[in-house]
Amino acid sequence: MCGRLGLSLDKEQVRCACSYKEKNGNSFAKPDWLHEHNDGKEYVPSYNIAPSDVTPVIIAAKGSEGCAKASRVLKPMMWGIIPPWHKGDYKNHNLSTNNCRLETLKTSKLYHPILTNGGRCVIVAEGFYEWQTTIKSKVKQPFYIYVPQDDNIQVDDPNSWNTEFNEIDGWKGIKLLQMAGLYHVWKNNGTIIYSYSVITMESNDTLNWLHHRMPAILDNQEQIDAWLDIESVNTEIALSYLRPVKILSWHQVSIEVNNSRNKSSKCNKRVISNNKSIQKTLTAFFTKSEKRTSNEETVLNKQYKRVKH
């Protein structure tokens, strides 16, 4: 599952970190940031983002008011979808919607209509927190999970980050996690709130030592393009791109992150464990990075190209 995130970049830095190349383009474009009131809730950079907080989310630009020239836009959205049928105070719908299970999307009364109506989105974060459930203990050990970074970048040390961006080389700073999700625009008595859920799936060998569920992480531009392309890529093909990611990095953090009111940089700082068996990085579980050149991927590539043409 996915219950806490970390994202400390400001709005402009998030735009740079989410830069991408348009199809057949030679330069990097930054998605526009389209403000939403969301009942007064704003995105606030934080090392400990919890459900009901507001974070930046990428959606397709087509159909977005005020959108621009880019094919993607960033919108601030509240974490935890508000059910479309809910009336009254949005805080009182009494459902846990920060995650939605991939396995039941097609049968869910809540998520299936959102999925089929083009509510696909990408949630961005520097990392997410997970508590180890595979070892019984009175206090579960939290870990911070993130994309492998360049050698000179430490995710828990912003002083090591490069914040440079240009259209030729793109963003040189911290690499963000990009997770597949669903979003909905809830309207009630003049209140409009954009909200989202993170899609989760069964963990593979990458994370099943930690927890039996993991977010649907999109680890290449082809996956991101297909998931966001709601006009040309149908639901079935889009879902086929969601597969457990194979390479991630992680480190242990203190239980300070357990309290969602603690938002400081102490939350994602690595701590040293006395247990040597859990000091290895996730990449140590693999002798070599597996290249994504399987027959399955070849078929998906052909499907995607056929749909696009």
Short mmCIF file of all heavy atoms in Angstrom, two decimals, residues 144 193-194 296:
data_model
loop_
_atom_site.label_atom_id
_atom_site.label_comp_id
_atom_site.label_asym_id
_atom_site.label_seq_id
_atom_site.Cartn_x
_atom_site.Cartn_y
_atom_site.Cartn_z
N TYR A 144 11.87 4.40 3.70
CA TYR A 144 11.63 5.39 2.66
C TYR A 144 12.05 4.77 1.33
O TYR A 144 13.19 4.32 1.17
CB TYR A 144 12.43 6.65 2.94
CG TYR A 144 12.04 7.87 2.14
CD1 TYR A 144 10.71 8.29 2.08
CD2 TYR A 144 13.00 8.62 1.45
CE1 TYR A 144 10.35 9.42 1.36
CE2 TYR A 144 12.65 9.75 0.73
CZ TYR A 144 11.33 10.14 0.68
OH TYR A 144 10.98 11.27 -0.03
N ILE A 193 -13.59 20.18 -5.71
CA ILE A 193 -12.33 19.64 -5.19
C ILE A 193 -11.83 18.54 -6.13
O ILE A 193 -12.57 17.60 -6.46
CB ILE A 193 -12.50 19.06 -3.77
CG1 ILE A 193 -12.90 20.17 -2.80
CG2 ILE A 193 -11.20 18.39 -3.30
CD1 ILE A 193 -13.14 19.70 -1.37
N TYR A 194 -10.59 18.67 -6.55
CA TYR A 194 -9.91 17.63 -7.30
C TYR A 194 -9.26 16.68 -6.29
O TYR A 194 -8.55 17.12 -5.39
CB TYR A 194 -8.81 18.21 -8.19
CG TYR A 194 -9.32 18.83 -9.48
CD1 TYR A 194 -10.03 20.03 -9.46
CD2 TYR A 194 -9.07 18.24 -10.72
CE1 TYR A 194 -10.49 20.62 -10.64
CE2 TYR A 194 -9.52 18.82 -11.90
CZ TYR A 194 -10.23 20.00 -11.85
OH TYR A 194 -10.68 20.57 -13.01
N GLU A 296 6.66 -9.79 -23.93
CA GLU A 296 5.49 -9.05 -23.45
C GLU A 296 5.60 -7.58 -23.79
O GLU A 296 4.65 -6.96 -24.27
CB GLU A 296 5.37 -9.23 -21.93
CG GLU A 296 4.22 -8.46 -21.32
CD GLU A 296 4.24 -8.52 -19.80
OE1 GLU A 296 5.12 -9.19 -19.25
OE2 GLU A 296 3.37 -7.89 -19.19
#
